[in-house]
Amino acid sequence: MAYVDIGSKLFFGLIALLVVTRLLGKKEMSQLTPFDFIYSIVLGGILEESIYDDKVSSLHVWFAVAVWGAMLFAIEKLSQKYDRIRVLLKGESSILIRDGEFNIKELNKNHLEMEQLRVMLRQQGVFSLREVRDLYLEPGGTVSLRKYPEFGEVTPAMLELEVKDEALNFLFIDEGKMNEEILRYVGKSPEWLYDELQKLGYSTLKDILYAEWSETDGFFIKTYNEDKDDVKKGN
């Protein structure tokens, strides 16, 4: 009976955690604030502590997660509505460097040493502070920066080049099989696909490993036979 009880707690607890997580929205690990980290630990702790406690039933787990999730949901809504609550619970961005000048007060407030700052910059591909014009420390602990123009990436606009706006590409054939759902989404038919492939010299889908298509670039096709791998375009 103990095994059944533990299994049911795990099953219902996992569902409860997934529901709460979905309600609170999608976030990457790098986007988590200290508040997000704390509530994640508590949610896991609720399930962990209840698994081997015979006095705690599956309904107790549901109730605990539901109350905790409702509190978090209310806090999230209040944080969206009131800036003071958001700053209090989740923090705000700190300006560490502005126009090349260090903000020593903010560095000390966030307990950052220069070498720690250099490590964070190297993770962003910046190996010298001379490149940095503005630097922000985000609530999740990551940094956002703006370089001086002479150290920035060259863009087509700087070179006065006209750049073509590329359309989305769609996977029509995957390992010899046609993706009819994607075809319908794009507004194309299987007959259209067969006709286009024949124009490009492909008589059967079985030889095609991968075929994508976009409105601007046409087809990009790879076959199973490496000697015949090719890129062909067509609209």
Side-chain angles (χ1 to χ4, degrees):
M1 188 64 183
Y3 294 105
V4 176
D5 187 46
I6 292 173
S8 64
K9 287 178 182 178
L10 282 171
F11 177 75
F12 291 113
L14 177 60
I15 293 176
L17 292 175
L18 289 174
V19 170
V20 171
T21 303
R22 293 294 292 174
L23 285 175
L24 295 177
K26 301 177 181 177
K27 292 182 181 179
E28 297 178 1
M29 290 299 295
S30 60
Q31 297 173 324
L32 294 180
T33 64
F35 175 75
D36 298 324
F37 182 67
I38 290 171
Y39 82 61
S40 300
I41 291 178
V42 173
L43 279 174
I46 291 173
L47 179 58
E48 179 185 0
E49 292 297 327
S50 66
I51 290 176
Y52 300 108
D53 192 340
D54 296 334
K55 297 179 181 179
V56 179
S57 67
S58 299
L59 289 177
H60 291 151
V61 177
W62 270 87
F63 178 76
V65 175
V67 172
W68 183 245
M71 293 170 58
L72 294 176
F73 187 76
I75 291 173
E76 289 285 345
K77 290 299 181 183
L78 289 173
S79 299
Q80 293 174 3
K81 189 173 182 180
Y82 301 104
D83 288 338
R84 288 186 179 180
I85 294 178
R86 177 183 56 78
V87 172
L88 178 65
L89 295 177
K90 299 191 174 185
E92 60 182 346
S93 300
S94 299
I95 303 176
L96 303 181
I97 300 177
R98 172 175 284 177
D99 292 332
E101 299 295 328
F102 285 92
N103 188 334
I104 304 300
K105 182 180 178 180
E106 287 296 322
L107 284 169
N108 293 333
K109 178 181 176 182
N110 290 281
H111 308 288
L112 274 176
E113 299 176 356
M114 281 298 172
E115 188 55 36
Q116 290 176 308
L117 187 62
R118 284 165 54 84
V119 170
M120 297 169 76
L121 288 173
R122 287 198 294 270
Q123 292 173 342
Q124 299 291 322
V126 176
F127 291 84
S128 174
L129 284 167
R130 75 180 67 186
E131 302 179 29
V132 182
R133 177 177 177 177
D134 301 305
L135 181 67
Y136 293 80
L137 179 64
E138 305 298 351
T142 59
V143 294
S144 302
L145 61 90
R146 181 170 64 167
K147 298 181 182 180
Y148 284 104
E150 59 265 34
F151 297 108
E153 296 181 358
V154 178
T155 64
M158 294 178 183
L159 302 177
E160 298 183 354
L161 298 176
E162 184 178 349
V163 181
K164 182 177 65 173
D165 186 16
E166 296 185 357
L168 292 174
N169 65 71
F170 301 93
L171 181 60
F172 283 167
I173 300 175
D174 183 10
E175 297 184 3
K177 296 180 181 179
M178 181 189 307
N179 195 327
E180 295 188 23
E181 184 177 349
I182 296 297
L183 276 172
R184 287 194 296 270
Y185 176 80
V186 179
K188 304 294 185 181
S189 66
E191 291 75 21
W192 172 87
L193 179 59
Y194 282 119
D195 290 341
E196 293 298 319
L197 291 175
Q198 287 181 356
K199 292 177 184 178
L200 296 173
Y202 298 98
S203 58
T204 176
L205 301 185
K206 295 180 180 180
D207 295 333
I208 299 176
L209 173 65
Y210 175 93
E212 69 178 26
W213 175 88
S214 74
E215 191 71 43
T216 53
D217 296 327
F219 284 93
F220 177 85
I221 298 174
K222 286 285 187 178
T223 62
Y224 280 101
N225 190 337
E226 293 183 355
D227 295 333
K228 296 181 179 179
D229 280 358
D230 197 3
V231 177
K232 297 200 176 184
K233 295 187 177 181
N235 296 316

